[in-house]
Amino acid sequence: MLLGLHYVTPPEWADRVLADTGALLLDHLFCERKAAAMALHTMRAHGNRFPTLKKLMPDLANEEYQHAEQCERMLRNYPPPPLPEGGSEYAKGLRKLTQTRGRDTFMDMLLVCGVIESRSAERFRLLADRARGTTLGSFYEDLYASEVSHFLLFTNLASEFYSPELAQARLEEIRVEESRLIQSLPPGPRLH
């Protein structure tokens, strides 16, 4: 599988989260906003060290903000869902992987972002398949390809900035941890 995930989300997941599409779209909206903010933070924090980020990250942030705007438009078609409480346990758990002492944590951050994008892509594919022939299905079909390209962007940057061997070895470690984490989370109308 291109995405290399160690845990494959069962197709029934899409049926479950589509039962509360408004809440799913609200969670998705927050994810897109966080992804845009992360891209801009990455540029500000690491752009001097890796100048290519000064071009790539604003473009990525703009794309993520466009996705957020699409989520907002889609949400208008559903009853207003309640606002979720607390942050994403998935994101919090993965962020812990970037806090290893004695490591260049920027490589870990790039790879964690890549794994998040790959999980999103996998789940967008499931949503697109389940909602095929609808506006929602087309929305997720379009976003699937975008998330795959984001996964490749982050993992390729890690390979370029460090080394392909080092990045690939760490990516596999992160995928193992991500697999444990995603399976440990309670079900709900969330992307992750």
Side-chain angles (χ1 to χ4, degrees):
M1 179 184 206
L2 169 68
L3 301 171
L5 296 167
H6 287 240
Y7 169 73
V8 176
T9 301
E12 302 78 43
W13 170 87
D15 295 326
R16 191 172 61 248
V17 298
L18 286 171
D20 195 352
T21 304
L24 171 67
L25 284 166
L26 184 62
D27 179 70
H28 183 180
L29 168 65
F30 291 150
C31 290
E32 296 290 357
R33 286 180 179 167
K34 289 175 200 167
M38 176 59 80
L40 294 176
H41 167 76
T42 298
M43 179 195 67
R44 285 191 300 274
H46 303 281
N48 289 337
R49 183 174 167 203
F50 300 108
T52 190
L53 296 173
K54 293 179 181 179
K55 167 69 176 112
L56 295 173
M57 291 298 113
D59 290 347
L60 177 60
N62 286 334
E63 188 177 341
E64 301 288 18
Y65 279 127
Q66 288 172 4
H67 295 167
E69 289 171 3
Q70 289 176 287
C71 287
E72 285 183 292
R73 285 193 297 274
M74 297 286 290
L75 265 166
R76 294 180 194 143
N77 299 320
Y78 298 92
L83 291 175
E85 295 181 18
S88 165
E89 293 302 315
Y90 178 78
K92 288 179 194 174
L94 288 177
R95 259 196 315 270
K96 289 178 186 174
L97 300 176
T98 68
Q99 300 166 354
T100 306
R101 293 177 191 236
R103 297 180 63 91
D104 185 332
T105 58
F106 183 54
M107 180 181 73
D108 285 356
M109 192 206 80
L110 289 170
L111 294 172
V112 162
C113 287
V115 167
I116 292 170
E117 298 286 353
S118 66
R119 180 60 66 191
S120 297
E122 180 219 27
R123 290 190 166 185
F124 289 170
R125 172 82 271 143
L126 291 172
L127 292 167
D129 290 347
R130 281 297 196 249
R132 188 173 309 285
T134 69
T135 303
L136 190 66
S138 297
F139 172 61
Y140 281 114
E141 183 72 40
D142 291 343
L143 289 184
Y144 166 76
S146 179
E147 300 301 291
V148 170
S149 73
H150 297 169
F151 159 70
L152 294 171
L153 170 69
F154 283 115
T155 54
N156 288 341
L157 286 173
S159 291
E160 177 186 330
F161 296 160
Y162 298 91
S163 78
E165 298 78 19
L166 187 61
Q168 189 59 41
R170 184 61 178 146
L171 178 59
E172 283 305 304
E173 293 171 359
I174 291 171
R175 284 173 170 155
V176 168
E177 293 304 315
E178 189 272 349
S179 173
R180 289 184 189 135
L181 175 63
I182 197 82
Q183 292 179 76
S184 73
L185 298 174
R190 293 180 310 276
L191 208 48
H192 307 111

